[in-house]
Amino acid sequence: MNKEHLKYLVKITLLVLVISFVVDKAVFLILNKLSDKVYSGQSIGKLNQYLKVKDSVDFIVYGSSRANHNIDPSIISKHSFNIGMDGAKIAYSSVLIQLLPADNAQTILLHIDPNYAFKQNYDGGDVAALVSKYNRDKDIKREIDKLGKNNSLQKFFWSLSYNGKVLGILKNYLNPKDDYARQLGYEPIVVTSMQREIFKNIINRGDVRDVESFCGTNYKMNDIYTRALSDIKMFCEANGKKLILFTSPKYEYPCTELNARFKAQIEDQGFVYYDLTNFFNDNNKLDYWKDKTHLSHVGAQILSKAVKELVEKDN
């Protein structure tokens, strides 16, 4: 390749990069304008609803699908929100909690799962669900970078933040719903008769899991999990938040030793913690469940009333 060809290639490359940069920023701004008007769908709508109300509510539920579908916040407070998200774990919740205002007294109910706390391969990857805000919120950006869950190209091509979310954004932009505002973020599960029969058959077959392999024998808390809990605790103590940790019920859960070890460790660290795994053991009905870890709307109402009593006791 001669000198003239090399110069031409460099110019073309630079031109492509400049055009890509400009087009990317234009797409990013368009997607921002569209997504900011979306308040339905888990792609981004529920997160937007949370960011809209987080400064004005006094009670907030955080956690995975076992928070999302199992706690109706309206029973605890009319000024509340449930930002539980399917697939979310401690890293996701930690970031959102640290976005709360410094001058508002608020109660935080955080769902934690002892099984994940002791999993040594947990790497905080659930924080990537917040990537759409990566180039828009410095606090979210910092936490994603801290866990190494950023895409290095995204620092140049900002529209990559919306990768995998565009169709969900367009769908909910064109056909908006008010579910999150109306239900205060709670997503109830209404079980059909077919789903109930399927679950009944699963229960009748019995549990064939090996308890030791399912529950594990390593009771050292994952470092990322420990650090996230510490960050949450420090933030809450510094900003007037009442923090309550809980574990939602499970159907026929065998890991009693694991839960006992977790409860001892978490209370030694000064957390208020309620293990409600066996909450329904003395009064269990299939109508209360969708599957072994998720409650139906019927079960969620019963649990939420009990949680209200616990919250009032601690306040």
Side-chain angles (χ1 to χ4, degrees):
M1 183 181 293
N2 60 38
K3 192 173 181 180
E4 289 302 315
H5 284 161
L6 182 60
K7 284 183 178 179
Y8 177 76
L9 184 60
V10 170
K11 287 179 181 178
I12 290 296
T13 302
L14 289 173
L15 181 61
V16 168
L17 286 174
V18 170
I19 292 173
S20 298
F21 181 84
V22 172
V23 170
D24 170 73
K25 298 305 171 289
V27 170
F28 181 71
L29 290 173
I30 291 170
L31 289 174
N32 285 349
K33 287 186 176 297
L34 290 176
S35 68
D36 285 349
K37 295 178 181 178
V38 171
Y39 290 97
S40 57
Q42 283 207 0
S43 289
I44 200 167
K46 190 169 187 180
L47 176 59
N48 280 345
Q49 186 70 32
Y50 168 78
L51 295 174
K52 179 180 179 181
V53 305
K54 68 181 178 65
D55 293 2
S56 60
V57 293
D58 55 35
F59 177 78
I60 314 173
V61 182
Y62 296 85
S64 65
S65 57
R66 292 175 62 202
N68 181 21
H69 304 297
N70 292 2
I71 299 294
D72 181 351
S74 68
I75 290 177
I76 293 100
S77 171
K78 299 305 178 187
H79 304 286
S80 60
F81 194 75
N82 184 334
I83 186 55
M85 192 75 71
D86 295 357
K89 298 178 181 69
I90 194 70
Y92 180 89
S93 297
S94 175
V95 176
L96 293 187
I97 288 171
Q98 293 178 76
L99 298 179
L100 292 173
D103 55 352
N104 286 15
Q106 295 168 303
T107 298
I108 292 168
L109 182 68
L110 171 61
H111 180 267
I112 49 179
D113 191 326
N115 292 82
Y116 279 106
F118 292 131
K119 279 188 188 246
Q120 295 309 305
N121 62 353
Y122 173 64
D123 63 357
D126 51 304
V127 77
L130 296 168
V131 75
S132 60
K133 305 296 183 183
Y134 182 81
N135 288 298
R136 306 188 68 191
D137 188 295
K138 61 181 178 57
D139 294 317
I140 292 176
K141 182 178 187 297
R142 181 191 66 243
E143 295 302 316
I144 291 176
D145 286 344
K146 187 196 297 184
L147 289 167
K149 299 304 173 185
N150 58 318
N151 180 343
S152 56
L153 288 176
Q154 161 178 301
K155 294 185 177 180
F156 184 83
F157 295 111
W158 291 5
S159 58
L160 287 177
S161 299
Y162 288 103
N163 191 29
K165 299 180 184 294
V166 175
L167 289 179
I169 289 170
L170 290 175
K171 175 187 172 184
N172 287 287
Y173 177 81
L174 296 171
N175 185 28
K177 297 180 177 64
D178 67 346
D179 290 3
Y180 295 132
R182 186 167 42 84
Q183 299 276 12
L184 306 183
Y186 166 58
E187 298 185 61
I189 298 176
V190 178
V191 181
T192 65
S193 57
M194 181 179 292
Q195 289 173 326
R196 188 174 294 110
E197 281 302 309
I198 291 171
F199 184 51
K200 184 178 180 180
N201 290 334
I202 291 172
I203 298 303
N204 289 339
R205 286 202 301 266
D207 197 335
V208 296
R209 294 174 297 187
D210 177 74
V211 173
E212 186 170 300
S213 61
F214 176 73
C215 301
T217 56
N218 180 0
Y219 302 123
K220 180 183 182 298
M221 204 178 295
N222 175 286
D223 289 340
I224 290 175
Y225 209 98
T226 301
R227 189 160 59 247
L229 280 174
S230 178
D231 289 345
I232 292 169
K233 189 170 187 286
M234 285 192 295
F235 175 84
C236 291
E237 289 175 347
N239 294 283
K241 314 297 180 190
K242 176 67 179 180
L243 176 63
I244 301 172
L245 309 183
F246 85 110
T247 298
S248 187
K250 287 188 177 182
Y251 193 98
E252 295 179 346
Y253 179 68
C255 306
T256 53
E257 176 66 14
L258 180 146
N259 276 30
R261 295 290 190 102
F262 179 76
K263 181 177 175 66
Q265 291 183 37
I266 212 74
E267 289 181 345
D268 280 348
Q269 296 173 39
F271 289 96
V272 174
Y273 172 60
Y274 294 102
D275 182 6
L276 303 178
T277 305
N278 297 320
F279 176 80
F280 285 108
N281 276 17
D282 295 331
N283 179 29
N284 213 352
K285 297 180 182 177
L286 286 182
D287 286 350
Y288 297 163
W289 300 90
K290 190 263 183 182
D291 53 42
K292 286 190 175 184
T293 58
H294 299 97
L295 298 171
S296 68
H297 178 57
V298 175
Q301 295 297 292
I302 296 170
L303 177 66
S304 299
K305 289 173 184 174
V307 167
K308 179 181 181 179
E309 293 180 7
L310 296 177
V311 170
E312 289 176 345
K313 183 181 78 174
D314 281 302
N315 279 332

